[in-house]
């Protein structure tokens, strides 16, 4: 099926793999396998097959099976020269409390946001979104809090007695999705959920600002030209507004000559999490780099590398705190809204 449909990425929830099963036993030609097995207990486990032509890295600091049993396998995937994405393959066993969404998933998702990549979350979460249950409401709440969009809207598991939507695809950027849906397959009692991505970077319209250019400004020449303004003409004008308008006309024409207004393209946007301390550390890093390139000494290069790593660490930590604060603000606003709505009618 994987070869026939030519999937780039194929993820499995509840794989039931353990240490007794080797990768060679479950390999798919042309794909590389990464797995997160559930240890000490049967069942569970998640894994993902990635085409050999794609570059990917398992994010070990985000990947875990929590004490409550919530699985999350995080990988970063790069498709040639297109933008990279983060993929989380997850599984929530039926006996795992829904508090795992806030206690386990939210923390790792917040850290994942600091990578600055679009995120996809796929897997079996055992929350039937076709019904209004505690599990479904918990999943909807976490999607709302983290600005995740759930794409699947049809039953993903159909039996003789029931139909449910428990297999999901959630994304941090809906514009990334070309199409999504449910594919009926017979190899499991779960249908396949799939989506097609557009990884081309959208071409944003450039931002321009208008400002005076002092590139060719000459102070002495400017003063000399100002001295040539025929101020005596203003004495014959009685209306004060006309006097001001006349002076402004002469002054601005000279000002335009020496410092014309030019349109400038803004090439970057201000990062809200970069503090003054980080900017100073960046300046030190740049000076050390310049010194190392000039002297070509090993010690100078080592000092530069240490400072560069310190800048990266400071940026990652600052962005993580910024994202956490933004999420907490939204959660607080949401709490106020819910509290207000739940007030009894007088």
């Amino acid at each position: 099926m994987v070869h026939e449909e030519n999937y780039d990425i194929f993820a499995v929830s509840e794989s039931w793999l353990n240490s007794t099963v080797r990768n060679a036993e479950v390999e798919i030609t042309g794909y590389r396998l990464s797995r997160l097995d559930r240890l000490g207990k049967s069942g569970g486990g998640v894994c993902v097959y990635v085409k050999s032509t794609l570059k990917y890295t398992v994010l070990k600091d985000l990947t875990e099976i929590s004490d409550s049993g919530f699985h999350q396998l995080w990988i970063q995937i790069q498709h040639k020269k297109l933008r990279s994405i983060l993929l989380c393959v997850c599984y929530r066993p039926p006996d795992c409390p829904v508090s795992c969404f806030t206690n386990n998933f939210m923390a790792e998702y917040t850290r994942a946001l600091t990578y600055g990549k679009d995120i996809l979350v796929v897997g079996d979460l055992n929350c039937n979104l076709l019904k209004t249950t505690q599990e479904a409401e918990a999943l909807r709440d976490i999607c709302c809090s983290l600005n995740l969009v759930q794409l699947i809207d049809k039953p993903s598991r159909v039996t003789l007695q029931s139909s449910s939507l428990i297999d999901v695809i959630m994304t941090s950027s809906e514009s990334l999705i070309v199409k999504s849906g449910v594919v009926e397959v017979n190899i499991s009692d779960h249908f396949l959920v799939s989506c097609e991505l557009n990884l081309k970077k959208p071409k944003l319209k450039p931002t321009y600002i208008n400002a005076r250019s002092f590139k060719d400004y000459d102070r002495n020449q400017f003063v000399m030209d100002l001295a040539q303004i025929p101020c005596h003409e203003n004495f014959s004008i009685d209306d004060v507004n006309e006097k001001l308008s006349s002076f402004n006309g002469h002054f601005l024409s000279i000002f335009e000559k020496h410092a014309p207004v030019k349109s400038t393209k803004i090439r970057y946007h201000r990062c809200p999490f970069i503090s003054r301390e980080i900017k100073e550390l960046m300046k030190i890093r740049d000076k050390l780099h310049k010194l190392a390139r000039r002297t070509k000494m090993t010690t100078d290069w080592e000092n530069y590398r240490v400072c560069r790593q310190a800048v990266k660490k400071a940026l990652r930590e600052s962005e993580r705190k910024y994202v956490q604060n933004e999420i907490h603000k939204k959660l607080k606003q949401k709490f106020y809204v819910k509290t207000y709505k739940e007030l009894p009618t007088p």
Side-chain angles (χ1 to χ4, degrees):
M1 182 182 66
V2 172
H3 282 144
E4 286 176 358
E5 299 297 334
N6 195 28
Y7 291 121
D8 291 304
I9 305 164
F10 186 79
V12 181
S13 287
E14 204 170 357
S15 63
W16 281 64
L17 299 179
N18 55 41
S19 57
T20 65
V21 182
R22 296 174 299 165
N23 282 359
E25 298 179 62
V26 290
E27 70 176 3
I28 299 178
T29 306
Y31 291 79
R32 288 178 291 169
L33 172 64
S34 292
R35 45 195 272 194
L36 178 63
D37 299 344
R38 193 177 189 182
L39 304 177
K41 194 173 182 179
S42 62
V46 295
C47 66
V48 60
Y49 292 88
V50 182
K51 260 190 179 178
S52 301
T53 54
L54 299 179
K55 295 180 181 179
Y56 81 95
T57 305
V58 176
L59 305 179
K60 296 181 179 179
D61 57 330
L62 303 180
T63 298
E64 67 167 12
I65 299 179
S66 67
D67 295 335
S68 61
F70 185 75
H71 300 45
Q72 44 186 334
L73 169 61
W74 287 87
I75 62 175
Q76 180 174 341
I77 303 169
Q78 175 72 50
H79 186 283
K80 298 180 181 179
K81 295 182 179 180
L82 303 180
R83 57 178 172 173
S84 58
I85 63 169
L86 298 187
L87 173 69
C88 175
V89 184
C90 54
Y91 171 63
R92 186 187 77 87
D95 59 349
C96 178
V98 292
S99 58
C100 67
F101 292 140
T102 53
N103 295 339
N104 306 119
F105 176 69
M106 179 182 283
E108 303 309 326
Y109 183 86
T110 302
R111 294 172 64 189
L113 287 174
T114 63
Y115 283 79
K117 312 291 184 184
D118 291 325
I119 299 175
L120 279 176
V121 181
V122 302
D124 176 6
L125 297 181
N126 280 302
C127 300
N128 187 4
L129 295 176
L130 298 180
K131 294 184 178 181
T132 306
T133 62
Q134 181 185 0
E135 291 82 3
E137 287 302 310
L139 181 56
R140 292 189 184 99
D141 285 347
I142 201 69
C143 286
C144 180
S145 301
L146 300 178
N147 284 332
L148 282 169
V149 179
Q150 206 290 110
L151 303 173
I152 306 303
D153 57 3
K154 295 180 180 179
S156 61
R157 185 173 186 267
V158 179
T159 65
L160 183 62
Q161 295 81 16
S162 65
S163 62
S164 57
L165 197 175
I166 58 178
D167 303 282
V168 300
I169 299 178
M170 302 181 290
T171 178
S172 63
S173 176
E174 198 171 4
S175 61
L176 185 70
I177 309 300
V178 176
K179 63 179 180 179
S180 60
V182 177
V183 181
E184 296 186 9
V185 295
N186 300 316
I187 60 175
S188 168
D189 59 349
H190 289 249
F191 292 153
L192 181 71
V193 294
S194 67
C195 67
E196 182 180 332
L197 308 181
N198 178 16
L199 296 181
K200 292 184 179 179
K201 291 184 178 180
K203 191 173 182 180
L204 302 177
K205 291 183 179 180
T207 303
Y208 293 89
I209 61 169
N210 294 324
R212 291 195 176 275
S213 172
F214 289 85
K215 181 180 179 180
D216 300 320
Y217 174 75
D218 186 327
R219 180 178 180 275
N220 294 329
Q221 187 62 45
F222 178 64
V223 171
M224 290 175 61
D225 288 347
L226 284 179
Q228 300 301 317
I229 294 178
C231 296
H232 61 277
E233 293 180 358
N234 280 7
F235 296 133
S236 61
I237 302 175
D238 296 329
D239 190 286
V240 67
N241 291 325
E242 290 184 11
K243 285 185 177 183
L244 178 61
S245 178
S246 174
F247 174 79
N248 285 343
H250 290 297
F251 178 82
L252 290 177
S253 64
I254 296 174
F255 200 18
E256 186 66 27
K257 174 183 175 183
H258 291 271
V261 175
K262 291 187 177 181
S263 184
T264 306
K265 182 189 292 187
I266 302 299
R267 298 186 180 274
Y268 64 91
H269 299 281
R270 178 181 173 273
C271 293
F273 54 84
I274 295 183
S275 62
R276 183 178 298 177
E277 291 76 12
I278 293 178
K279 287 182 179 179
E280 291 299 323
L281 192 59
M282 286 178 170
K283 290 180 181 179
I284 296 174
R285 175 203 60 190
D286 295 342
K287 288 180 180 179
L288 290 174
H289 190 209
K290 186 176 181 180
L291 177 65
R293 286 188 286 111
R294 187 177 74 247
T295 64
K296 298 182 180 180
M297 294 180 62
T298 305
T299 53
D300 290 336
W301 276 109
E302 184 60 28
N303 291 335
Y304 159 67
R305 291 190 186 97
V306 170
C307 188
R308 182 183 63 185
Q309 288 301 116
V311 170
K312 287 183 178 180
K313 184 177 179 181
L315 282 170
R316 183 66 57 82
E317 181 65 20
S318 180
E319 186 173 3
R320 183 184 66 81
K321 290 180 179 178
Y322 171 78
V323 171
Q324 281 183 334
N325 290 335
E326 291 298 307
I327 291 175
H328 290 157
K329 285 180 184 177
K330 186 163 186 180
L331 285 173
K332 196 172 182 181
Q333 292 172 356
K334 181 181 174 185
F335 173 76
Y336 286 149
V337 170
K338 277 195 168 184
T339 304
Y340 175 76
K341 287 182 177 179
E342 291 169 3
L343 287 174
T345 305

